């Protein structure tokens, strides 16, 4: 594939994670969690940006449309696990939240990439 997504998209993905975090807190706990310190949201952004960097790096290496789609599906599967890791890790501290959120997101993204690469060879 000739279309290579820009790494700047990782910033948009990073921005989506604090927004998803507020939505999860609103739906699950009944409050938005807006009273949390700004550093928590900065760590959520950093975690989302790392996941976005992994996604963009994997997408840039995809050689076929099937592998591209499989990578996106892997990312989509990993996002709920990342949000769960943020909620769980956020209770244990911001750095643990980043670790718990980045690990499943990157793992599932690259599993999708590897599956796509194996099944959709050129």
């Amino acid at each position: 594939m000739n279309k290579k997504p820009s790494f700047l998209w990782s910033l948009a993905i990073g921005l989506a994670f604090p927004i998803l975090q507020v939505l999860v807190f609103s739906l699950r706990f009944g409050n938005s969690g807006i009273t949390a310190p700004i550093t928590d949201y900065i760590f959520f952004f950093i975690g989302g940006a790392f996941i976005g960097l992994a996604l963009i790096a994997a997408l840039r290496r995809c050689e076929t449309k099937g592998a591209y789609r499989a990578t996106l599906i892997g990312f989509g599967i990993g996002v709920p696990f990342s949000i769960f890791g943020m909620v769980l890790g956020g209770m244990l501290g911001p750095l643990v939240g980043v670790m718990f959120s980045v690990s499943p997101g990157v793992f599932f993204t690259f599993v999708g990439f590897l599956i796509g690469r194996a099944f959709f060879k050129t």
Side-chain angles (χ1 to χ4, degrees), residues 13-27 41 44 75 79-80 83 86-87:
I13 294 169
L15 186 60
F17 273 83
I19 294 168
L20 285 172
Q21 188 67 21
V22 169
L23 288 173
V24 166
F25 266 91
S26 297
L27 294 173
Y41 293 106
F44 294 146
F75 171 75
V79 167
I83 295 297
M86 280 185 187
V87 171

Side-chain angles (χ1 to χ4, degrees), residues 62-72 74 109-122:
C62 289
E63 298 165 351
T64 63
K65 288 183 181 183
Y68 196 89
R69 274 180 281 181
T71 304
L72 288 176
T109 299
F110 278 104
V111 165
F113 168 72
L114 292 174
I115 289 172
R117 194 170 180 185
F119 285 108
F120 299 103
K121 294 195 180 236
T122 55

